[in-house]
Amino acid sequence: MIPTTKDATESRAFRGVHAWRERMREWLSTDVATRSLLVAILLIAAYLRLTHLNWDQGTHIHPDERFLTMVSDALRLPKSLGEFFDSTKSPMSPYNKGYNFFVYGTLPLFIVRVVAEAAHEFNQAAQLWVNEGGAPLNLVGYDGIHLVGRALSGLFDLGCVFLAFVIGRRLYGRQVGLLAAALYAFAVLPLQQSHFYTVDTFGSFFALLAFYFAVRVAQGGEHGRRDGGWESYVGLGASLGASLACRINLAPLAGIAVLAAGIRLWDDWHTAMSLTRENGAAAPRRLQTVWLSTLLQATFFRLLLMGLVTIAAFRIAQPYAFGGTSLLDFSLAPKFRDNMAQISQLIRGDADYPPGHQWASRTPFVFPFVNMVVWGLGLPLGLTAWAGWALAAFQVARGLTGSGGERERGRAGERESGRAGE
């Protein structure tokens, strides 16, 4: 069959498309492409989160936000650190401002109040934000501080977009990191929460930061990973304590920390065993016992360090959960204990109150799952996200329970790659 002019044109077009795809694939594998795409994602995410902050036109229609605005308006900066940590008279304590039932974290309030003070002083001079009468907006008052809170809420959620990229890149590579950042940037629920002055995005940021350090801890035994030591445990403890100072119900994150340490322990143990087998003979049982004991002790002391840092961070960021007049007083404040007991009753349904009616006759687990998948993320992204979790869990289980031969071949490949890169 004699080729026609049409066939030749189609062939050239096909080769052109193929060449373009190859060039695009090469470009996407470069650091410049990664940085460019990440910047583009962050800019779009920032626009979606930091615009239309005055969406309710000063009517304060969000009940939780309105309460936090009232509390933030009442707070005052302390004269000294001693006064700040004096639970009996600190002007930053909601309890000392007449709000005796306060179950939110105080760290977001501290951040917003400090930033609002600085922004207010700047605005008095620059007059960038004015009210309807043309006077500078009072950014530390009831009609202005919630806008500062919304802006910071959006900024902290923008930090979540970046952390999604960092975690995804570390676990699976730069392309997965970019995809994770892009999907989170357009997810519905984070966009909604970014426009509220509530504690949610602050808590999400520190929770993701804790997850990032947990990944570093878990990967510390891998070839080429040199940042899973005590610094990662300190970062994990600090971010965990900060997340608890935003939302106390993020306490289950501690389980992620223990799991990460367990993965690190398992990985280090099997690394040691595979190295002895490579030398031609298995290590004596007594030596194996010594190695295992050493690894267990190291893991215990690292977790102890993480726990101490967590307590210290929570003590600093949620100081009025503790009573007394000194930073060294770790006794829980009676009001805090009573608040936690009361909110626990309300959440369990043991006590009736109007906001709890929306949870009546709801199927446990199914109701939040449907809300998350259908409304919070959208059906395609929601199902894909949970499928991703299932795949990751399968990969972790396969990695931990794989045969010794598979693990040794994997580690041999890692070492060869390391030698090639040295």
Side-chain angles (χ1 to χ4, degrees):
M1 187 179 208
I2 301 175
T4 64
T5 302
K6 180 180 178 181
D7 293 334
T9 302
E10 291 179 350
S11 177
R12 286 196 299 271
F14 176 78
R15 289 196 299 269
V17 171
H18 180 72
W20 178 85
R21 289 177 58 185
E22 288 299 320
R23 288 194 299 270
M24 181 59 66
R25 187 176 301 165
E26 291 177 2
W27 182 77
L28 289 174
S29 64
T30 63
D31 292 337
V32 174
T34 301
R35 288 193 292 267
S36 300
L37 292 174
L38 179 60
V39 169
I41 292 171
L42 291 174
L43 288 175
I44 296 172
Y47 174 79
L48 294 175
R49 284 158 174 78
L50 300 175
T51 55
H52 304 291
L53 294 181
N54 193 24
W55 51 267
D56 60 342
Q57 298 180 343
T59 54
H60 302 277
I61 60 177
H62 189 298
D64 293 332
E65 182 187 63
R66 183 169 60 249
F67 176 73
L68 290 180
T69 301
M70 294 165 59
V71 175
S72 300
D73 178 31
L75 299 182
R76 296 293 182 270
L77 296 185
K79 297 177 181 178
S80 64
L81 283 177
E83 185 181 46
F84 175 74
F85 288 111
D86 187 346
S87 297
T88 63
K89 62 180 182 181
S90 173
M92 291 291 281
S93 172
Y95 298 143
N96 295 334
K97 296 297 181 179
Y99 296 97
N100 293 319
F101 184 69
F102 188 85
V103 295
Y104 299 96
T106 54
L107 179 58
L109 274 71
F110 297 161
I111 296 172
V112 170
R113 184 69 201 193
V114 170
V115 173
E117 292 281 350
H120 178 70
E121 292 297 325
F122 175 77
N123 192 47
Q124 291 298 307
Q127 298 189 12
L128 296 178
W129 300 279
V130 296
N131 57 25
E132 294 180 355
L137 191 64
N138 182 10
L139 295 179
V140 294
Y142 178 74
D143 289 323
I145 197 169
H146 69 295
L147 299 177
V148 178
R150 290 176 183 178
L152 287 171
S153 180
L155 286 174
F156 270 82
D157 199 60
L158 186 62
C160 292
V161 177
F162 178 74
L163 285 174
F165 164 74
V166 173
I167 294 171
R169 180 184 62 179
R170 191 176 183 95
L171 288 173
Y172 293 102
R174 68 180 76 189
Q175 293 181 352
V176 172
L178 288 171
L179 178 61
L183 293 176
Y184 187 89
F186 292 99
V188 178
L189 187 60
L191 284 175
Q192 180 196 51
Q193 294 300 319
S194 294
H195 287 80
F196 299 152
Y197 170 31
T198 56
V199 300
D200 298 290
T201 59
F202 297 87
S204 296
F205 172 81
F206 288 112
L208 272 178
L209 190 61
F211 191 81
Y212 163 71
F213 282 112
V215 171
R216 284 179 48 152
V217 166
Q219 291 184 335
E222 289 189 0
H223 178 80
R225 300 292 190 187
R226 298 292 180 260
D227 52 2
W230 64 267
E231 302 97 332
S232 294
Y233 283 89
V234 170
L236 179 54
S239 51
L240 179 58
S243 67
L244 293 177
C246 296
R247 295 180 61 106
I248 194 67
N249 57 357
L250 288 173
L253 275 174
I256 299 294
V258 175
L259 177 62
I263 293 174
R264 170 74 181 274
L265 172 65
W266 177 279
D267 192 69
D268 286 348
W269 167 249
H270 278 269
T271 298
M273 293 299 97
S274 64
L275 288 175
T276 57
R277 284 191 290 269
E278 283 184 0
N279 293 330
R285 183 172 298 275
R286 181 177 178 182
L287 183 57
Q288 292 183 22
T289 303
V290 172
W291 282 345
L292 181 59
S293 175
T294 302
L295 289 174
L296 286 172
Q297 290 179 35
T299 302
F300 171 78
F301 283 112
R302 287 169 176 168
L303 285 174
L304 179 61
L305 173 64
M306 183 207 73
L308 292 174
V309 174
T310 300
I311 294 172
F314 182 74
R315 179 67 180 88
I316 294 171
Q318 183 93 10
Y320 314 120
F322 304 88
T325 60
S326 170
L327 176 62
L328 300 179
D329 189 341
F330 282 85
S331 60
L332 291 179
K335 286 184 180 179
F336 179 77
R337 291 200 307 266
D338 293 342
N339 284 179
M340 292 300 101
Q342 186 175 352
I343 195 63
S344 298
Q345 289 180 333
L346 297 177
I347 292 174
R348 291 195 305 267
D350 295 339
D352 186 32
Y353 78 129
H357 294 173
Q358 61 184 314
W359 312 115
S361 302
R362 305 294 190 183
T363 305
F365 300 105
V366 175
F367 177 72
F369 178 82
V370 171
N371 273 273
M372 180 188 301
V373 172
V374 176
W375 307 112
L377 294 173
L379 197 59
L381 176 56
L383 293 177
T384 303
W386 279 104
W389 271 103
L391 176 62
F394 171 75
Q395 291 175 333
V396 169
R398 185 179 62 178
L400 292 178
T401 60
S403 65
E406 291 177 350
R407 294 181 63 87
E408 288 180 27
R409 285 193 295 272
R411 297 193 182 285
E414 289 179 358
R415 285 188 289 274
E416 288 300 325
S417 299
R419 294 190 189 102
E422 289 177 354

